[in-house]
Amino acid sequence: MSTANLTREETAARAAAVTVHTVRVELDVTGAPDPDRTGFTTVSTLEIETDGAAAGVDTWIDFLGEAVEQVEVDGAPQPVEWDGARIRVRGLHGRHRVRITARAAYSRSGEGMHRFVDPVDGQTYLYTHYEPADARRVMPCFEQPDMKARWTFVVTAPAGWRVLSNQPAVSTSVDGGAQRVEFAETPPLSSYITSVAAGPYHRVEGKWRRGEQTVALGVLCRASLAPHLDADEILEITRQGLDFFTDAFAYPYPWGKYDQIFVPEYNIGAMENPGLVTFTEAYVFRGASTVAQHEGRANTILHEMAHMWFGDLVTMRWWDDLWLKESFADYMGAHATAAVTRFPDAWVTFATRRKAWAYQQDQLPTTHPVVADIPDLEAAKLNFDGITYAKGASVLKQLVAFVGEDAFFEGARRYFAAHAFDNTTLDDLLRHLADASGRDVRAWSRAWLETTGMSTITLERDGGGAVLVQADPRPHRLRVGAFALRDGALVRTGGVDADVVGERTVLDALPAADLMLPNDGDLTYAKVRLDAASADAVAAALSTLDDALTRGLVWSALWNATRDGELPVARYLEIVRRHAGAETHSALRADILANAAFAVGHYVPDAQRAEERRRWLETTWTQLWHAEPGSDAQLAWARAVAGAAAYDDAKAGELRGMLDGAVPTPEGLALDPELRWAWLAALSATGHADAAAADAELDRDPTANGRIAHRTVLAARPDAAVRAAAWRAAWEDESLTNDHLSAMIAGVRAGGRRDLITAFDEEYFARIRGTWETRSIEIAGRLVRGLFPARDSLDLVDAWLAEHTDAPAALRRIVIEQRDHLARDLRVRAANVT
Ligand SMILES: [Zn+2]
């Protein structure tokens, strides 16, 4: 095992032996605009203390980079003992100052100090991203969350740039073409949430005031994106959130200022660096955007803000308790969005989107309890998943219902007060929740946080009554809703609350109904099956249900039954064709369209697939033309057309004509760059756009996004030689950034043209282990997931798994998950053969 993969055991021992007080980090990035400079100088000065045992303490400091040039202890040079990941420091007694001079590398993968050059204006931008353990790619440090330090960052950068870190600058001196910016010392902070950004970022300022406290707000993005930055809405949600959390947690915002910066080629949605939160640029809308996109951004803003307390102020001791911060923040993101923003339906989106992610992950062979066993960093990296976030948040929602909202927040307040600037484990939270509520939260924890999988709940009608049948039983408090068909519409007629514990629960007092919906109101975490009569009722009248959450739960039940091969995919698609056009909830609509497209591609048997693809294209096309001009629905259907048209060229002429301006577009549809590229990629995949068309589009949109889309359009051309070149570049061209790589992968897979890439199936399995060893985990993960062969057989993947039992556990986890997705596709297709 590489020494870069730190284990829980050895980091616990290090924390016991060494205390770190302060770290001063001096970075010199003045050379960043020069493409020939691969790295930069970094100097860490760490004030540490050991227990002074007579023999002296040997320890190590983490660093991944180009070189370690000098190691000094209390001013005396030491031999440099660096194995590429760990710098040895020996013979420590008591208090020491360790100073390490090193050369770190600029990153192209979004890990560490990412460097990006904007093709629009040639400007260079830097930002850092570390979670879980990439701070050591920028500075020598103790890379574990429980060794908190007070940090001082000093950054030397080109004059004229904006330079940012967690804290405000306290001094700036300019010397010729360079400026040296020193930032205020941070409160105690874990390494993975320290942060630096530098470049000619555009900034919009604001303020938030509450009693005595004033917090300076900043919203930043690249200069070329400034015209698209709707900072007013972002600042409004930021103020709403700060009001909400300050009250709810009864602890003033602890980090001074609050900057939110949208950064290029970002690997995740956002990261909760205190005082300098980083976000993906996907949240800066370059063209038309749906309500779901705005709601999603609001949710992310509030999720990250919740982390200022949960995660940053109080931090998990080790990555086993990653869920402590992520489940909590995920819950708070939805809770605060619904409570204080213009998106009161946030729990609908949670019920259908976040929970779908959790249900999917929880059925994989690699699922794990919310409280996971994370022996090392590679395992930690893969655990940012549907269990840690969405299942954890779902069960927290149940906990809030169980102890009551007041007691839950009271417990959180006591937890923050007791553990501010410290590290905790699950037990610490449970203790405060138990004290505040008087409930047995440990039993709840055992049932929900320390188990895997989910119950499947089916309703059986029994004469006049009904029975809930539970597979894989757990204790639930849930509601069964009753709805009757009246004049073709489903109308709520009542419902019954039930405590469901064992395998069979008889329901009394449930009114006769056409639709009976278990888990009405989404009170529990379980897979729900509709009985036959209820399925008939929703097939006829799903879109007449007036409550979005109810519709979302019905759609979720239908989708899960389709994924399990129990609801025929043809019937599912028929229900979509009949009811999706009437859906009014933006996120729910987007999910229905995405699931329908997925079902056509993955679950329809081979013999029917071409026909279903044509029908799906016709559906999206008809809906596009019937949608209200300029509406959210119109935009959603226009995007769905792009997905469908990549598999069937029946509309290629019209799409081509609309892009060329020869054919009118639907009234009110904004043919913005994002939509143009999406349609062009579809045309390319079906052989109706050549390189010249791609280049012409790039002339219209020569931005970073345009260049990424251009790569996909070129790689998507249905020519075996083109796909082969893209395949090879994806694996071998290490100059590709993270986003460039994903663009190439999308091209290789475009249009589901297996015939063009089947020849590479064996090569995939020959390559993945070497790739895992030589590329970063982010890049290797994109390749292993993205290029997994969608074969008609499990033969090759099973052979690889059998031969590579000794492969790194994290790589095996990804391969096992891809195998399971493929096995499900094959199983569901087989079940649908009639
Ligand atoms: Zn988070």
Side-chain angles (χ1 to χ4, degrees):
M1 187 176 71
S2 156
T3 59
N5 188 13
L6 305 175
T7 69
R8 175 177 51 203
E9 212 168 311
E10 60 189 357
T11 53
R14 180 165 68 170
V18 181
T19 302
V20 56
H21 296 290
T22 64
V23 186
R24 182 180 175 86
V25 179
E26 293 158 281
L27 306 174
D28 183 351
V29 295
T30 40
D34 176 357
D36 293 332
R37 296 274 197 103
T38 58
F40 57 94
T41 297
T42 174
V43 182
S44 282
T45 307
L46 306 99
E47 296 280 352
I48 63 172
E49 195 165 344
T50 65
D51 64 7
V57 170
D58 294 349
T59 190
W60 81 93
I61 293 166
D62 303 298
F63 181 68
L64 302 170
E66 295 184 347
V68 175
E69 288 161 359
Q70 193 175 50
V71 178
E72 290 168 85
V73 177
D74 303 322
Q78 307 289 317
V80 174
E81 294 182 68
W82 180 53
D83 64 5
R86 303 182 186 199
I87 303 164
R88 283 282 151 198
V89 188
R90 299 183 189 276
L92 303 171
H93 309 257
R95 195 155 178 140
H96 298 282
R97 168 174 296 187
V98 180
R99 186 171 190 273
I100 298 172
T101 305
R103 284 195 59 75
Y106 294 113
S107 164
R108 302 279 282 159
S109 68
E111 300 154 295
M113 176 75 79
H114 191 78
R115 175 167 61 173
F116 174 86
V117 178
D118 189 333
V120 174
D121 53 16
Q123 298 282 4
T124 300
Y125 291 89
L126 303 175
Y127 66 86
T128 60
H129 177 66
Y130 298 151
E131 192 176 33
D134 287 322
R136 58 192 167 149
R137 293 182 188 276
V138 171
M139 61 217 180
C141 62
F142 294 105
E143 189 76 272
Q144 60 188 85
D146 60 341
M147 290 184 76
K148 290 190 174 186
R150 296 177 180 275
W151 302 75
T152 301
F153 287 93
V154 183
V155 181
T156 306
W161 275 17
R162 215 178 274 288
V163 186
L164 303 117
S165 185
N166 305 89
Q167 288 289 306
V170 288
S171 73
T172 302
S173 57
V174 180
D175 179 10
Q179 58 176 329
R180 186 172 179 280
V181 184
E182 178 159 345
F183 296 90
E185 187 180 71
T186 70
L189 210 60
S190 307
S191 57
Y192 76 95
I193 39 180
T194 63
S195 184
V196 167
Y201 285 102
H202 167 75
R203 177 187 172 94
V204 177
E205 298 192 348
K207 261 194 179 44
W208 172 78
R209 283 201 193 84
R210 186 81 163 173
E212 305 276 280
Q213 195 179 18
T214 299
V215 174
L217 308 178
V219 180
L220 301 101
C221 69
R222 284 187 285 135
S224 68
L225 281 180
H228 307 295
L229 182 68
D230 49 343
D232 288 350
E233 179 172 307
I234 294 164
L235 286 170
E236 182 188 9
I237 287 159
T238 303
R239 292 190 187 98
Q240 289 168 331
L242 285 168
D243 281 340
F244 177 81
F245 289 123
T246 309
D247 281 352
F249 298 156
Y251 193 107
Y253 173 74
W255 307 107
K257 66 168 177 109
Y258 199 67
D259 284 321
Q260 298 175 95
I261 184 166
F262 296 85
V263 295
E265 299 185 319
Y266 202 46
N267 284 332
I268 59 171
M271 182 65 208
E272 67 263 24
N273 314 301
L276 181 56
V277 182
T278 36
F279 290 85
T280 169
E281 283 182 348
Y283 285 135
V284 179
F285 308 125
R286 293 205 307 150
S289 49
T290 61
V291 172
Q293 287 174 280
H294 287 263
E295 182 194 323
R297 184 175 66 186
N299 190 311
T300 303
I301 289 171
L302 296 170
H303 172 121
E304 303 311 327
M305 194 182 287
H307 276 314
M308 297 299 121
W309 289 264
F310 226 106
D312 295 356
L313 180 65
V314 183
T315 311
M316 73 268 150
R317 181 166 305 288
W318 176 251
W319 301 101
D320 306 65
D321 278 320
L322 173 64
W323 81 277
L324 262 184
K325 72 179 180 77
E326 292 308 342
S327 305
F328 189 90
D330 222 46
Y331 172 82
M332 283 297 161
H335 181 80
T337 301
V340 299
T341 73
R342 69 181 171 96
F343 308 104
D345 276 352
W347 285 115
V348 179
T349 311
F350 182 86
T352 60
R353 186 169 286 184
R354 298 303 265 190
K355 279 199 164 174
W357 184 28
Y359 294 145
Q360 181 185 327
Q361 192 100 36
D362 216 1
Q363 294 174 80
L364 291 172
T366 55
T367 192
H368 54 87
V370 175
V371 181
D373 177 35
I374 302 295
D376 58 35
L377 283 180
E378 285 198 1
K381 173 87 180 176
L382 291 193
N383 243 38
F384 292 79
D385 63 12
I387 301 300
T388 298
Y389 285 74
K391 182 179 181 182
S394 304
V395 300
L396 268 188
K397 187 165 176 262
Q398 286 162 260
L399 176 66
V400 175
F402 175 58
V403 301
E405 197 170 308
D406 291 346
F408 178 77
F409 278 97
E410 176 57 27
R413 286 191 282 270
R414 293 182 190 188
Y415 175 79
F416 295 133
H419 302 286
F421 300 109
D422 207 347
N423 295 84
T424 54
T425 63
L426 167 63
D427 238 28
D428 298 307
L429 179 68
L430 293 184
R431 193 174 61 248
H432 292 289
L433 288 174
D435 287 353
S437 69
R439 304 295 300 260
D440 183 4
V441 296
R442 285 192 173 75
W444 168 85
S445 169
R446 282 191 297 276
W448 289 103
L449 295 178
E450 297 162 42
T451 60
T452 61
M454 72 198 72
S455 314
T456 300
I457 296 176
T458 312
L459 185 137
E460 284 179 4
R461 301 196 192 216
D462 176 16
V467 180
L468 282 177
V469 181
Q470 191 182 188
D472 195 357
R474 279 173 183 71
H476 304 271
R477 176 85 185 157
L478 57 76
R479 184 178 308 143
V480 178
F483 303 82
L485 271 170
R486 292 199 184 133
D487 301 330
L490 278 166
V491 179
R492 184 186 295 274
T493 54
V496 58
D497 288 348
D499 282 307
V500 175
V501 179
E503 289 182 5
R504 293 179 70 82
T505 307
V506 177
L507 300 176
D508 303 320
L510 190 63
D514 295 296
L515 164 62
M516 290 188 190
L517 179 62
N519 200 25
D520 188 23
D522 196 34
L523 303 180
T524 195
Y525 175 83
K527 206 155 67 167
V528 164
R529 290 279 192 265
L530 299 177
D531 66 285
S534 295
D536 289 343
V538 300
L542 200 172
S543 51
T544 65
L545 286 161
D546 65 0
D547 177 51
L549 182 58
T550 308
R551 293 195 304 276
L553 293 165
V554 170
W555 281 113
S556 168
L558 296 172
W559 177 238
N560 279 321
T562 306
R563 287 188 80 235
D564 289 345
E566 292 191 14
L567 178 68
V569 64
R571 183 152 200 236
Y572 174 78
L573 291 169
E574 176 60 36
I575 294 171
V576 172
R577 283 193 292 273
R578 190 151 179 187
H579 296 291
E583 183 50 58
T584 52
H585 190 274
S586 180
L588 184 49
R589 179 197 299 115
D591 291 347
I592 295 164
L593 302 195
N595 288 345
F598 190 91
V600 171
H602 291 254
Y603 300 151
V604 171
D606 297 347
Q608 281 94 51
R609 193 167 312 125
E611 183 193 337
E612 285 291 2
R613 279 182 168 154
R614 175 64 54 91
R615 290 174 88 176
W616 180 236
L617 177 61
E618 292 292 346
T619 300
T620 59
W621 189 259
T622 305
Q623 293 289 348
L624 167 64
W625 286 92
H626 282 129
E628 189 187 322
S631 66
D632 215 85
Q634 186 188 47
L635 180 57
W637 286 108
R639 290 172 178 171
V641 164
Y647 297 90
D648 185 305
D649 68 356
K651 303 296 177 194
E654 285 106 318
L655 288 171
R656 181 77 260 170
M658 286 198 273
L659 289 177
D660 293 344
V663 173
T665 51
E667 188 193 341
L669 181 70
L671 204 51
D672 57 43
E674 312 292 9
L675 187 57
R676 291 185 62 90
W677 281 115
W679 283 2
L680 191 64
L683 289 170
S684 174
T686 55
H688 296 274
D690 58 11
D695 294 346
E697 198 61 34
L698 187 61
D699 286 342
R700 293 177 66 114
D701 180 29
T703 62
N705 291 38
R707 288 188 181 218
I708 290 165
H710 182 250
R711 281 179 189 274
T712 299
V713 171
L714 288 180
R717 287 171 290 161
D719 171 322
V722 166
R723 298 281 177 104
W727 167 273
R728 218 165 293 119
W731 292 101
E732 293 171 6
D733 183 353
E734 298 200 12
S735 74
L736 296 176
T737 69
N738 46 1
D739 280 2
H740 294 162
L741 175 61
S742 291
M744 300 297 273
I745 291 171
V748 170
R749 301 182 65 117
R753 289 293 301 271
R754 283 279 303 152
D755 56 312
L756 299 174
I757 55 170
T758 310
F760 299 114
D761 289 358
E762 292 190 14
E763 189 185 319
Y764 167 92
F765 289 102
R767 279 182 183 271
I768 52 178
R769 196 154 173 185
T771 297
W772 191 265
E773 275 152 22
T774 53
R775 307 298 298 275
S776 76
I777 194 166
E778 177 66 38
I779 296 293
R782 289 187 192 217
L783 285 162
V784 175
R785 284 191 188 90
L787 293 174
F788 184 87
R791 290 171 68 80
D792 292 330
S793 151
L794 300 169
D795 54 352
L796 292 183
V797 64
D798 284 343
W800 187 90
L801 286 168
E803 282 163 27
H804 294 269
T805 50
D806 60 338
L811 172 60
R812 282 185 62 85
R813 175 175 168 173
I814 297 178
V815 174
I816 289 167
E817 290 180 354
Q818 296 307 312
R819 181 204 184 275
D820 198 69
H821 294 315
L822 178 58
R824 179 181 291 268
D825 288 359
L826 299 177
R827 193 166 65 236
V828 177
R829 259 182 254 161
N832 275 285
V833 171
T834 47

